[in-house]
Amino acid sequence: RRYTTAGRLLMPLSKRNISGFSLFEVVLVLMLMGIVVTISGLMLLQAIKANDEVRNGWDTLGKLRYAGERLAREVRTVRRAPTDLTAYEITNWSASSLAFTRTDGTTVSIDYSDPEDKVEITYPSLLATPQLLVDQVTSFSISYLQINHADVATTLNDLAYVVMELTLSDEGALYQQQVEVNLRNRMGWN
């Protein structure tokens, strides 16, 4: 018999009670953990990508909302012509631009640049440099309607509504907004 220093009896290796995991069990657990980590990582990457797409969409919607509110606020301030109170002091009105004088005497120009996909606003009487209102523009159009809201206004005396349609794009998704300003309602005129 052999004894250890602690006084315990040493048994041959084949007769000992061996506790622990076999190599097969360890490899199996490591493979399962690898599969779980891989699946979790892929799900996390998909969640991050979806979050980025949603964030970009919300940013684009924020730009669209800001541009629409700013356009409406500016157009609401169109001044009536001092010589003819039934007309407005608008110097340029087309499908892609609008230039007018506000009630405070400031001139304003709103322009859409198709090749650059942006809408700019300029205050020539204050600052000649155009300011970017919004980019990512797919389409921008301005319509001018009469009081019946159906016929196109042909003169400044007929003008009652300014309708601006703006479409922005972000990674293939299109976001549209229509802004309508009733010029005559602002003054309480028919």
Side-chain angles (χ1 to χ4, degrees), residues 46-116:
Q46 286 177 346
I48 290 171
K49 182 180 176 185
N51 184 39
D52 289 345
E53 289 174 1
V54 168
R55 182 177 300 144
N56 290 341
W58 280 109
D59 288 345
T60 303
L61 283 171
K63 287 180 181 181
L64 183 65
R65 190 194 70 215
Y66 170 76
E69 290 174 359
R70 178 89 184 268
L71 288 168
R73 184 174 56 235
E74 292 294 341
V75 173
R76 278 190 196 104
T77 63
V78 172
R79 178 168 73 181
R80 295 225 179 239
T83 56
D84 182 6
L85 293 178
T86 62
Y88 298 97
E89 201 166 331
I90 296 175
T91 56
N92 178 25
W93 53 322
S94 68
S96 62
S97 67
L98 175 63
F100 58 91
T101 304
R102 295 192 317 194
T103 54
D104 64 0
T106 305
T107 56
V108 178
S109 177
I110 300 169
D111 297 298
Y112 169 56
S113 176
D114 187 18
E116 297 176 15

Side-chain angles (χ1 to χ4, degrees), residues 145-176:
L145 302 175
Q146 293 182 16
I147 194 71
N148 65 5
H149 208 270
D151 298 328
V152 175
T154 55
T155 67
L156 292 175
N157 292 346
D158 295 338
L159 182 60
Y161 296 98
V162 177
V163 180
M164 295 163 283
E165 296 180 16
L166 182 63
T167 303
L168 302 184
S169 65
D170 179 47
E171 297 179 10
L174 296 178
Y175 302 93
Q176 298 177 332

Side-chain angles (χ1 to χ4, degrees), residues 126-189:
L126 299 176
L127 182 65
T129 307
Q131 298 175 11
L132 178 66
L133 183 61
V134 67
D135 57 358
Q136 298 176 286
V137 179
T138 303
S139 68
F140 177 73
S141 65
I142 306 173
S143 303
Y144 307 94
L145 302 175
Q146 293 182 16
I147 194 71
N148 65 5
H149 208 270
D151 298 328
V152 175
T154 55
T155 67
L156 292 175
N157 292 346
D158 295 338
L159 182 60
Y161 296 98
V162 177
V163 180
M164 295 163 283
E165 296 180 16
L166 182 63
T167 303
L168 302 184
S169 65
D170 179 47
E171 297 179 10
L174 296 178
Y175 302 93
Q176 298 177 332
Q177 183 177 21
Q178 180 176 337
V179 178
E180 181 177 300
V181 178
N182 184 346
L183 297 174
R184 295 182 185 242
N185 190 36
R186 183 179 62 82
M187 299 297 287
W189 293 19

